[in-house]
Amino acid sequence: MKRYLAIDIGQKRSGLALVNDETKVATPLLVITCQTDKPKFIDELFEQVKEFEIDALIVGLPIDLKGNQGISASDVQLRMTSVLNRLNKKRSIMGEQALTLEYVDERLSTAQAEKALKMADVSSKNRKNMRDAHAAMVIAQSYIDSI
């Protein structure tokens, strides 16, 4: 059984969410507050991958409302190719298998996360800190529900 970690990639912050192997339910994990090209991002992501014994990454792909991939989607794919290569290089050194990568349409995931946090009566300050991890949870749940 594969273990999944979902990522909502952002320019300044990226949210992470885990998928429970038994229940197939996604839960928000944390937010990494730096750009994906920074060593800190790779180090923090690698620690989560190692701690939770992750086999595959699920990444939200920004698709427009017409269903087309634009510049943002290409940017995410380019950045995630680099991230995946760096993670797998570290895993190879440790004798671990390479991670796989799946993309999911993330259309409206941040809006869904924001709405859920508002309904839970989370303050606007706390919503800002939690939104990206909750968006990753929406992305993860969408993927899990589709398989």
Side-chain angles (χ1 to χ4, degrees):
M1 184 173 296
K2 278 190 168 183
R3 292 182 171 229
Y4 297 97
L5 180 70
I7 307 172
D8 178 39
I9 295 291
Q11 293 296 325
K12 297 180 182 177
R13 291 184 304 275
S14 296
L16 306 182
L18 286 172
V19 175
N20 181 304
D21 290 345
E22 294 175 13
T23 63
K24 301 294 186 220
V25 173
T27 54
L29 180 61
L30 58 84
V31 175
I32 300 175
T33 56
C34 67
Q35 296 172 338
T36 57
D37 62 344
K38 304 294 183 200
K40 177 184 173 189
F41 180 87
I42 296 299
D43 291 344
E44 288 189 38
L45 183 57
F46 185 75
E47 283 305 311
Q48 300 308 312
V49 166
K50 191 167 66 171
E51 179 178 342
F52 293 103
E53 300 174 349
I54 300 300
D55 300 305
L57 302 177
I58 304 166
V59 177
L61 195 60
I63 306 291
D64 69 23
L65 294 177
K66 293 180 181 178
N68 300 316
Q69 292 185 24
I71 294 169
S72 295
S74 296
D75 178 60
V76 166
Q77 290 173 317
L78 185 65
R79 287 193 285 153
M80 281 310 302
T81 298
S82 174
V83 166
L84 187 65
N85 287 339
R86 289 182 284 162
L87 287 173
N88 281 336
K89 184 175 180 180
K90 284 183 152 210
R91 287 176 63 92
S92 175
I93 291 168
M94 296 179 65
E96 301 278 332
Q97 284 190 328
L99 293 168
T100 60
L101 177 62
E102 301 286 339
Y103 289 104
V104 174
D105 180 354
E106 73 163 17
R107 203 175 332 185
L108 304 177
S109 62
T110 301
Q112 289 175 357
E114 181 73 19
K115 183 178 178 181
L117 291 168
K118 279 184 182 177
M119 289 178 63
D121 204 26
V122 176
S123 72
S124 62
K125 179 183 177 184
N126 287 335
R127 277 198 311 266
K128 181 180 178 184
N129 295 330
M130 300 168 68
R131 182 179 22 231
D132 297 303
H134 277 76
M137 177 188 70
V138 171
I139 291 164
Q141 197 62 55
S142 172
Y143 178 79
I144 293 304
D145 291 347
S146 74
I147 59 173

